[in-house]
Amino acid sequence: MVPEQILDKDPPTLPVSDSEAPSPGPNCASPRMKVDSATTVPDLLSIFHEQEMTETAHETNGHGYLGTFVGKNGRLAILRVHSHALVTIDLQCYEEDNIAQLDNLLNALETKLKVILNGNITRIKRLPALVRGAEVDRYWPTADGRLVEYDMDQIVYEEDSAYQNIKILHSQQYGNVLILDNDLNLAESDLAYTQAIMGSGRENYAGKEVLILGGGDGGILSEMVKQKPKMITMLDIDQKVIDACKKYMRGTCGNILDNLKGDCYQILVEDCVPVLKKYVQEGKTFDYVINDLTAIPISTQPEEDSTWEFLRLILDLSIKVLHPSGKYFTQGNAETLTEALSLYEEQLGKLSCPVAFSKEVTCVPSYLEQWVFYSVWKK
Ligand code: SPM
């Protein structure tokens, strides 16, 4: 039977060690003693027995103790007393299990551990429950791989287009959130993203020719038209993203996606690579090119066999269609991903035309990590 929902309680993680023990693990504060499973375990077992949980001890070949305990409602506890420095207890239960009882169990374990280890605990930490198998997925990791739990409470839209999986989830804090191929792209709260990728208010777009690559959520287009450019051309490959955002991301796009053409804009639902190539051939130029493509590229071109080659192709074509005094804007990556940022900057040095660049870091509310934005211009 597939459980509908499993609540994980990840309670006391108790790193304890002495100075002879090998390096204790990153979450160990100031280690003091080794954990002796022969004396620690029997006392802890009594707590599980009081909870009518049945023990199965597992062979560890002398590496501490590992026991699993099954109790009421399929409740499962895993007790691991590592030889060095760490005691972990994981408690898994179904959502409908008795939370008060579980809290009592955790409190009893915590108290007992403090007694058994006789004040030698250097750190005890009860982690919040992970909710697995829930209808609305709340875990969207940061770009640098840390687990983040959002407050999503509703699946507003989900569909696979010919190019990607499109999800729009509702978050209590951020409004509707667009997630493409499991990468959180933009929330209705994220005007800061749009402002940053438009040059943070330093540019005057009035009377200018602007090209937006991607941008299917309509955020940039909606802000840009307010500045009365001569013409904005937006190239996005995915009609389904545009349609979904038109309906469910109105906090971002307003009514701009209601029509594919307006006084000073046109939306072309096309792959940007052939269109850029055509512009290069025609000698067409733009005062601004804003690359708002997905971070994970959607490529229909056979000539690019790696992400970097694709990014460089887009960059090169964009710079080719950029007016000599024009500017190219794009988002980069999480500020912590310094290696990826350096690699990106390396690509800037490999273009057919020499460029200079600057970057700035912006806090985009729903990203929960600082984000780097680039401005690039011809030297
Ligand atoms: N118009 C918004 C398009 C977004 N472009 C790609 C950026 C994706 C970044 N993912 C951020 C994940 C943050 N944790």
Side-chain angles (χ1 to χ4, degrees), residues 140-143 150 178 183-186 193-194 215-217 219-220 292-295 331 366-369 371:
W140 300 99
T142 56
Y150 284 84
L178 174 67
D183 182 28
L184 193 151
N185 265 244
L186 197 76
Y193 176 98
T194 303
D217 52 64
I220 300 172
D292 192 31
L293 296 169
T294 48
Q331 58 89 28
S366 79
Y367 282 15
L368 299 176
E369 57 192 328
W371 210 256

Side-chain angles (χ1 to χ4, degrees), residues 320-336:
K320 280 182 177 154
V321 300
L322 196 63
H323 188 271
S325 61
K327 266 193 191 155
Y328 170 88
F329 290 119
T330 192
Q331 58 89 28
N333 216 324
E335 190 188 18
T336 51

Side-chain angles (χ1 to χ4, degrees), residues 125-145:
K125 173 90 179 172
R126 191 187 294 188
L127 300 173
L130 292 176
V131 181
R132 293 194 289 200
E135 199 187 322
V136 185
D137 189 352
R138 296 158 69 101
Y139 300 103
W140 300 99
T142 56
D144 61 9

Side-chain angles (χ1 to χ4, degrees), residues 115-135:
V115 173
I116 296 167
L117 298 169
N118 197 21
N120 283 305
I121 297 171
T122 54
R123 184 177 298 175
I124 184 161
K125 173 90 179 172
R126 191 187 294 188
L127 300 173
L130 292 176
V131 181
R132 293 194 289 200
E135 199 187 322

